[in-house]
Amino acid sequence: MSASAPVRPTLPVDILARKGGSPLVCLTAYTTPVARLVDPHCDVVLVGDSLGMVLYGLPSTLGVTMEMMIAHGQAVMRGVTRAMPVIDMPFGSYEEGPAQAFRNASRLMAATGAPAVKLEGGVHMADTIAFLTARGVPVMAHIGLTPQSVNTLGGYKVVGRADEGARVMADAEAVQAAGAFSVVLEKTPAGLSQRITQALTIPTIGIGAGVGCDGQILVIDDMLGQFTDFRPKFVKRYANLGAAASDAIADYAAEVRSRAFPAPEHSFADELPPKGAKK
């Protein structure tokens, strides 16, 4: 008797080994059904704190809690078998210092089984990243536009133009030196992103950072056209499921009001038909 070997999930060491190779494919997911859809096609599935905006209707990611990230992280873990799940650390769960970051990162990993976390920040978060990685917490860094700092940055603007580019490069080098296994570059100029990618030995994952990165990530609700409050320039819509769903709901409502639904084929008879009778 023979049995097929279980699929080995992707781990941080595998992502690190992809530096300079075939581009990494990454998407967000927040639920089990969506995780099952993206798993066959993606290398990384991010349980992003973007869920606060696309699922909960929050104005930013700042209101996302540890409990929300754990619940959605557990849901996504039930739906992945081969892609690597990464869970965002929410605002306020790691900025205080390395010890706080470790408590919350270890809580996320223990509660969900995810093999890695992501946190925002460059030079000023290097000590925290080093503390985590030294204690068995793989870290995906996130620099450039960091949404949790939107109030400090003054909006969701491009980060790294002109003299600001040197600071973003310093952030990239700092998170690599601290032990991050990869780094997200968000809304950074394409030329700068390519220079950072060439300078680093860890993979860069772009979102609004041009084609020169080692991989790309998008919020799945953006690329499927389900989140329509606004559309960043860097988003390409591969489907328009929001409009399709709206049309389907309108059709349903019209059929209920006209009593076209439920039809006889959607209803049950008062008595079961005799055995052998044609249905």
Side-chain angles (χ1 to χ4, degrees), residues 28-49:
T28 64
Y30 317 111
T31 64
T32 304
V34 171
R36 287 174 178 157
L37 288 174
V38 303
D39 183 57
H41 308 286
C42 290
D43 302 297
V44 173
V45 177
L46 174 67
V47 187
D49 61 358

Side-chain angles (χ1 to χ4, degrees), residues 1-251:
M1 181 182 293
S2 63
S4 59
V7 177
R8 176 184 174 278
T10 303
L11 296 172
V13 66
D14 302 311
I15 300 301
L16 183 58
R18 292 278 297 275
K19 174 68 181 181
S22 175
L24 294 160
V25 179
C26 315
L27 281 171
T28 64
Y30 317 111
T31 64
T32 304
V34 171
R36 287 174 178 157
L37 288 174
V38 303
D39 183 57
H41 308 286
C42 290
D43 302 297
V44 173
V45 177
L46 174 67
V47 187
D49 61 358
S50 49
L51 64 84
M53 301 174 75
V54 300
L55 295 187
Y56 290 89
L58 298 175
S60 72
T61 62
L62 300 182
V64 174
T65 65
M66 281 286 292
E67 288 69 28
M68 291 161 71
M69 297 310 302
I70 288 172
H72 289 279
Q74 290 170 337
V76 167
M77 288 297 293
R78 297 182 194 112
V80 296
T81 58
R82 58 163 302 279
M84 187 183 74
V86 178
I87 302 185
D88 263 342
M89 296 193 68
F91 179 70
S93 69
Y94 62 94
E95 294 90 342
E96 184 178 331
Q100 181 210 27
F102 179 76
R103 284 195 302 272
N104 285 314
S106 60
R107 181 185 172 197
L108 278 176
M109 294 175 70
T112 65
V117 300
K118 181 171 76 66
L119 57 81
E120 297 181 3
V123 170
H124 70 286
M125 292 306 302
D127 288 345
T128 293
I129 293 172
F131 190 91
L132 294 178
T133 57
R135 288 158 178 78
V137 178
V139 175
M140 175 183 285
H142 183 153
I143 63 174
L145 171 63
T146 48
Q148 292 176 6
S149 302
V150 62
N151 292 324
T152 301
L153 294 173
Y156 299 98
K157 61 183 182 179
V158 175
V159 176
R161 285 180 170 145
D163 294 342
E164 203 173 35
R167 179 177 63 80
V168 180
M169 178 66 80
D171 284 338
E173 292 171 342
V175 299
Q176 174 177 273
F181 69 89
S182 60
V183 57
V184 172
L185 305 179
E186 181 165 358
K187 215 166 182 181
T188 52
L192 172 64
S193 301
Q194 187 164 9
R195 291 193 297 276
I196 290 173
T197 300
Q198 292 169 346
L200 298 187
T201 58
I202 62 174
T204 59
I205 300 170
I207 177 167
V211 73
C213 297
D214 293 301
Q216 301 293 329
I217 187 167
L218 284 176
V219 172
I220 193 164
D221 300 76
D222 286 339
M223 59 88 72
L224 292 180
Q226 293 174 291
F227 180 74
T228 57
D229 289 5
F230 59 87
R231 178 180 173 182
K233 177 183 178 180
F234 56 76
V235 170
K236 178 178 179 179
R237 289 232 170 106
Y238 288 82
N240 199 1
L241 301 190
S246 180
D247 290 343
I249 293 166
D251 289 345

